[in-house]
């Protein structure tokens, strides 16, 4: 996994995860990165419809080379297992010629995370997350001194300043 840079985008429903993913994909592609994405279907049950009808399609439209969605043991790459864990899915992506893997969801995993905060209640859940690199928030946050916080309304600054730094570090 060393050759692929991996980042997670996590947050609660309607916090802007898919929109941020689209911005990160488009920026990474513009910088010459070959990008793959994985989306966790966190609504329970298998993914509904086809990959062409969901957020994964947005990932592909934004420039991802490969995209998948997983839920209830169904990985939409026309593959099925009793349950897929993120490490198994990431290992599949090792076979593809990608430089960057963006993962939407899987809050409990330990990859580098960018967390979206929609409201005050979301702040309580930060203690349950590991490896947080930055927060993108809909509300003003002043209490987190060690984690960079960006406004959702200035998401371009996060993408160009903070995210690009992570893309090009060795």
């Amino acid at each position: 996994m060393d050759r692929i840079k991996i980042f997670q985008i996590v947050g609660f429903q309607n916090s802007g995860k898919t929109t941020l993913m689209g911005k990160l994909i488009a920026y990474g592609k513009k910088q010459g990165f070959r990008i793959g994405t994985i989306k966790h279907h966190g609504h329970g049950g298998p993914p509904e419809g086809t990959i062409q009808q969901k957020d994964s399609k947005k990932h592909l439209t934004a420039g991802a080379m490969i995209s998948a969605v997983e839920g209830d043991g169904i990985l939409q790459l026309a593959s099925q297992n009793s349950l897929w864990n993120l490490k198994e899915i990431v290992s599949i992506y090792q076979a593809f010629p990608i430089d960057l893997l963006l993962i939407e969801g899987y809050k409990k995993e330990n990859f580098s995370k960018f967390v979206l905060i929609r409201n005050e209640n979301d702040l309580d859940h930060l203690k349950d997350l590991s490896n947080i690199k930055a927060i993108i928030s809909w509300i003003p946050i002043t209490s987190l001194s060690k984690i960079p916080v960006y406004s959702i309304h200035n998401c371009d600054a996060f993408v160009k300043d903070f995210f690009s730094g992570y893309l090009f570090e060795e």
Side-chain angles (χ1 to χ4, degrees), residues 142-163:
T142 57
S143 60
L144 302 171
S145 61
K146 295 183 180 180
I147 302 172
V149 177
Y150 291 83
S151 169
I152 192 75
H153 306 294
N154 195 9
C155 209
D156 289 343
F158 166 75
V159 173
K160 291 179 183 156
D161 299 338
F162 191 83
F163 180 64

Side-chain angles (χ1 to χ4, degrees), residues 9-46:
I9 290 68
V10 302
F12 295 92
Q13 192 170 8
N14 296 321
S15 61
K17 295 181 301 293
T18 302
T19 300
L20 178 59
M21 286 280 288
K23 289 178 183 281
L24 298 177
I25 293 164
Y27 181 81
K29 184 174 182 185
K30 187 176 177 183
Q31 301 305 313
F33 286 86
R34 297 168 297 177
I35 302 162
T37 65
I38 298 171
K39 177 173 174 43
H40 183 241
H41 180 69
H43 306 293

Side-chain angles (χ1 to χ4, degrees), residues 4 16 18 55 87 105 127 129 142 158:
I4 299 175
T18 302
D55 290 342
K87 286 185 173 52
K127 67 184 180 318
L129 302 177
T142 57
F158 166 75

Side-chain angles (χ1 to χ4, degrees), residues 34-75:
R34 297 168 297 177
I35 302 162
T37 65
I38 298 171
K39 177 173 174 43
H40 183 241
H41 180 69
H43 306 293
E48 298 172 4
T50 67
I51 208 165
Q52 298 301 320
Q53 299 168 320
K54 298 293 176 188
D55 290 342
S56 298
K57 173 63 174 177
K58 293 177 185 174
H59 299 173
L60 293 169
T61 301
M65 179 184 277
I66 181 174
S67 186
V69 62
E70 187 278 334
D72 202 27
I74 304 295
L75 177 66

Side-chain angles (χ1 to χ4, degrees), residues 16-129:
K17 295 181 301 293
T18 302
T19 300
L20 178 59
M21 286 280 288
K23 289 178 183 281
L24 298 177
I25 293 164
Y27 181 81
K29 184 174 182 185
K30 187 176 177 183
Q31 301 305 313
F33 286 86
R34 297 168 297 177
I35 302 162
T37 65
I38 298 171
K39 177 173 174 43
H40 183 241
H41 180 69
H43 306 293
E48 298 172 4
T50 67
I51 208 165
Q52 298 301 320
Q53 299 168 320
K54 298 293 176 188
D55 290 342
S56 298
K57 173 63 174 177
K58 293 177 185 174
H59 299 173
L60 293 169
T61 301
M65 179 184 277
I66 181 174
S67 186
V69 62
E70 187 278 334
D72 202 27
I74 304 295
L75 177 66
Q76 280 195 343
L77 279 174
S79 183
Q80 186 171 326
N81 195 1
S82 58
L83 286 177
W84 286 91
N85 68 53
L86 185 57
K87 286 185 173 52
E88 290 172 326
I89 299 168
V90 168
S91 72
I92 292 169
Y93 277 66
Q94 295 294 322
F96 293 93
I98 61 173
D99 309 302
L100 174 62
L101 178 57
L102 297 172
I103 301 167
E104 184 177 334
Y106 293 94
K107 292 178 189 79
K108 298 198 185 295
E109 295 293 334
N110 195 38
F111 294 107
S112 295
K113 285 181 190 59
F114 305 132
V115 180
L116 284 116
I117 298 293
R118 180 83 181 176
N119 57 51
E120 294 282 333
N121 295 335
D122 293 349
L123 291 171
D124 294 336
H125 299 289
L126 288 176
K127 67 184 180 318
D128 300 326
L129 302 177

